[in-house]
Amino acid sequence: MKKMVLFLLVVTRLAGTLVAQPASYDQPWRPQYHFTPPQNFMNDPNGTVFYKGEYHLFYQHNPEGQVWGHMSWGHAVSRDLVHWENLPVALHEVPGDYMVYSGSAVVDWNNTSGLCQNPDPKDHSCPIAIYTAAHEKKQAQHIAYSKDRGRTWTNYSGNPVADLDAPDFRDPNVFWYEPQKKWVMVAALADERQLVIFDSKDLKSWAKRSTFGSAGDTAGQWECPDLFELPVERTREKKWVLIINRNPGAPAGGTGVRYLIGNFDGEKFAPEIPDAPVLWADWGKDFYATNTWNDMPTSDGRRVWLGWFSNWQYANVEPTVLWRGGLSIPRTLSLRRYADGLRMVQTPVRELEGLRHEKLKLKNMDVAKANERIRKSGFKGDVYELEVELLPGKAEEIGLRVRVGKDEWTVVGFNPARGEVFVDRTRSGEVGFSKDFSGRFAATLEKKDRAKLHVFVDRSSVEVFANDGERVLSDRIYPHAGSDGLELYGAGGLVESLRIWQLDSAWK
């Protein structure tokens, strides 16, 4: 940015702790419906859990600066996955001893840990956080518990609860395994590209049961694993999905999220097809370190996740002021059967629809006519959602240019010859802060005769859900002020339908 913007900070007293918060979430490039920290650096989402009407979101956070360091768990809560209330830092680094790395959280409904203390004799529950204590030469797993709905946290006196005396043993993801009435932990030996599976009856004593790796990976690290069941659409079938966050080695370069589909017996995970090609959850550049919500209400039944909206290739140098880093929109997961097998699909959570204000609706017209209607409507914006169905016809390529300004735009396109949906941010605005930022990122679709694109545009991001979540591309962008135009391209193509919604800010 050419102009420095001054910000006023207000100090809010929450749970006895002073928390500095920006006077508004209206700074340049500040997303309006994605989560970002009030200030300073953030990366991985941690400890996503639902408890007593609130979605808890913890995250890797540097309370002292805008680059990685002093890692602690930041904290926010929401009642709808859209509007967030910032709370004080939940778990702090211990200077000179350890930083608090990534992990998960669960609700200990029946007080298996013996750590829950509630004044209500009928309520035996409390939330438990499981995190990596990253010492200088080794990493081990700790737990902490809360007696006040997650507002304050106490470290367990018997920590660590799992220790392999290894320098790269991290990112514990814990869940309740109902068939055997026990807790299961999946953690990473990052540099060895190996996962370790443990179990426990009380969250305090863990036994190693199996390892998994390296599943064809020959370089880089494995981080932030997850293991959960997903339904297969239009059937009663369920399959286990193992998530491996890969650093580096993703299709677009740098960090990314791969997954395997298979079976889990309480001790071992086995891929359904051992030599299957590597599957990726997102084909954009900026989706990593995913975390799914534990303890969703049984009446809901969804498996919802979100990821860190950045890439380690440039996370410390992104050109924002006051804050750095953010998260994707929350997404609902399921499995869908295609010609080449089961694949995981993602769709935006329905709660986001509460931000909508419809601005334009079109049907069955060529690209030139659709652009004329967009111009006549006067639509411009940097915070909106759209759905468009495109038939390429005679066009070699068809799609959208979003955040259009003087000599800059981001392309969301479809190439029928290649069967590719793609995002091209080569001319998206500020791109020179990293040699790894600029580029075109693509994914192949099963059907190549048309494309249905569900696109979320925010002040510094584009997320594309193609063909009802078959492929997703998540990319940060940094357009200059005034780059708020929208246009279609692809002469000879047909716009079968187009709907545009302006979205409210979730922070007002």
Side-chain angles (χ1 to χ4, degrees):
M1 295 296 285
K2 296 179 180 178
K3 182 172 66 174
M4 178 62 71
V5 181
L6 297 179
F7 305 100
L8 294 176
L9 294 179
V10 295
V11 176
T12 304
R13 184 174 294 276
L14 290 170
T17 303
L18 293 177
V19 184
Q21 300 199 32
S24 75
Y25 263 53
D26 199 27
Q27 301 94 38
W29 291 325
R30 170 79 83 168
Q32 295 299 288
Y33 56 90
H34 293 78
F35 182 85
T36 53
Q39 60 194 54
N40 295 331
F41 181 89
M42 75 166 293
N43 52 294
D44 308 2
N46 296 153
T48 44
V49 68
F50 183 84
Y51 184 56
K52 294 190 175 180
E54 294 179 320
Y55 297 93
H56 287 262
L57 168 64
F58 304 90
Y59 55 92
Q60 289 287 279
H61 180 49
N62 180 357
E64 300 184 25
Q66 284 190 268
V67 296
W68 185 93
H70 301 286
M71 300 317 294
S72 305
W73 275 24
H75 190 194
V77 293
S78 172
R79 291 190 174 274
D80 63 1
L81 290 168
V82 177
H83 300 86
W84 294 95
E85 175 191 355
N86 290 305
L87 296 178
V89 171
L91 297 170
H92 293 264
E93 71 163 337
V94 180
D97 191 359
Y98 64 83
M99 289 192 284
V100 181
Y101 277 14
S102 291
S104 55
V106 296
V107 179
D108 187 4
W109 291 107
N110 296 311
N111 196 19
T112 63
S113 65
L115 298 173
C116 302
Q117 301 174 26
N118 285 313
D120 182 354
K122 296 181 180 179
D123 182 5
H124 304 290
S125 69
C126 70
I128 305 282
I130 308 96
Y131 66 89
T132 296
H135 303 271
E136 183 179 357
K137 294 184 178 180
K138 79 167 186 175
Q139 298 172 0
Q141 314 320 315
H142 286 200
I143 64 174
Y145 57 96
S146 174
K147 296 182 286 186
D148 55 5
R149 295 173 51 246
R151 268 49 185 180
T152 59
W153 293 81
T154 302
N155 281 305
Y156 170 52
S157 61
N159 284 329
V161 296
D163 186 359
L164 297 179
D165 196 28
D168 63 339
F169 173 43
R170 60 178 176 265
D171 307 339
N173 198 295
V174 172
F175 63 93
W176 178 254
Y177 187 65
E178 180 61 27
Q180 296 175 14
K181 307 294 183 185
K182 68 180 183 181
W183 300 99
V184 171
M185 176 196 296
V186 185
L189 288 166
D191 297 328
E192 299 173 45
R193 293 171 299 284
Q194 192 172 85
L195 303 183
V196 187
I197 296 176
F198 301 79
D199 63 14
S200 173
K201 292 294 186 180
D202 62 3
L203 292 165
K204 297 182 293 188
S205 300
W206 293 88
K208 180 180 173 181
R209 296 303 180 191
S210 67
T211 59
F212 179 84
S214 61
D217 279 347
T218 59
Q221 296 179 324
W222 284 9
E223 295 186 305
C224 302
D226 204 347
L227 181 60
F228 48 80
E229 270 191 305
L230 283 184
V232 179
E233 292 180 348
R234 300 183 181 89
T235 74
R236 295 183 178 180
E237 187 180 8
K238 289 185 176 182
K239 290 289 183 180
W240 284 89
V241 177
L242 178 66
I243 301 296
I244 302 168
N245 282 268
R246 183 72 159 75
N247 177 31
T255 46
V257 186
R258 62 171 294 195
Y259 67 96
L260 300 97
I261 300 170
N263 301 291
F264 179 63
D265 64 3
E267 293 190 0
K268 295 180 181 179
F269 174 82
E272 191 169 52
I273 305 175
D275 298 322
V278 174
L279 304 176
W280 296 96
D282 197 295
W283 295 78
K285 188 83 171 183
D286 298 313
F287 188 72
Y288 189 63
T290 52
N291 215 298
T292 59
W293 259 276
N294 276 325
D295 295 282
M296 293 283 283
T298 54
S299 58
D300 187 317
R302 293 177 295 174
R303 174 65 62 170
V304 175
W305 78 351
L306 78 178
W308 178 40
F309 212 167
S310 190
N311 192 307
W312 275 126
Q313 289 182 331
Y314 42 73
N316 283 308
V317 296
E318 289 178 304
T320 53
V321 177
L322 182 68
W323 56 279
R324 183 172 284 144
L327 301 178
S328 72
I329 58 173
R331 306 163 181 186
T332 302
L333 304 177
S334 60
L335 295 172
R336 186 179 299 161
R337 195 171 296 280
Y338 292 92
D340 53 356
L342 287 174
R343 296 294 183 265
M344 188 169 69
V345 296
Q346 305 173 65
T347 54
V349 293
R350 56 180 177 264
E351 287 87 345
L352 286 162
E353 296 175 8
L355 300 176
R356 287 175 171 178
H357 298 278
E358 189 167 80
K359 291 298 179 181
L360 188 63
K361 186 176 182 179
L362 307 176
K363 278 195 173 183
N364 297 322
M365 59 184 66
D366 62 31
V367 168
K369 182 66 174 177
N371 275 333
E372 181 183 344
R373 290 285 300 275
I374 292 172
R375 285 192 295 270
K376 285 184 176 179
S377 75
F379 178 80
K380 293 179 181 293
D382 58 7
V383 182
Y384 61 92
E385 171 191 0
L386 66 82
E387 289 183 333
V388 63
E389 295 187 67
L390 301 169
L391 294 174
K394 297 179 180 179
E396 293 183 3
E397 193 173 281
I398 189 170
L400 306 155
R401 297 187 185 98
V402 303
R403 301 304 305 274
V404 179
K406 184 180 180 181
D407 300 322
E408 69 180 37
W409 55 79
T410 297
V411 181
V412 179
F414 174 59
N415 185 306
R418 298 178 179 176
E420 282 184 347
V421 59
F422 66 90
V423 173
D424 189 333
R425 65 182 183 191
T426 307
R427 303 184 66 173
S428 59
E430 292 283 351
V431 298
F433 57 89
S434 169
K435 65 179 178 58
D436 296 307
F437 186 79
S438 180
R440 178 186 184 275
F441 317 116
T444 302
L445 298 173
E446 184 184 55
K447 294 183 178 179
K448 299 173 173 55
D449 59 338
R450 64 174 59 221
K452 180 181 180 182
L453 306 177
H454 192 175
V455 182
F456 287 79
V457 175
D458 209 339
R459 288 188 177 171
S460 58
S461 66
V462 174
E463 283 165 283
V464 181
F465 299 80
N467 290 358
D468 299 308
E470 174 189 347
R471 291 286 189 265
V472 185
L473 298 96
S474 304
D475 292 289
R476 298 301 296 273
I477 55 173
Y478 295 98
H480 293 98
S483 295
D484 55 5
L486 169 67
E487 61 189 30
L488 294 117
Y489 75 96
L494 176 69
V495 180
E496 198 168 50
S497 65
L498 171 67
R499 295 183 76 181
I500 304 172
W501 298 271
Q502 182 181 344
L503 298 182
D504 288 335
S505 172
W507 296 100
K508 294 179 179 177

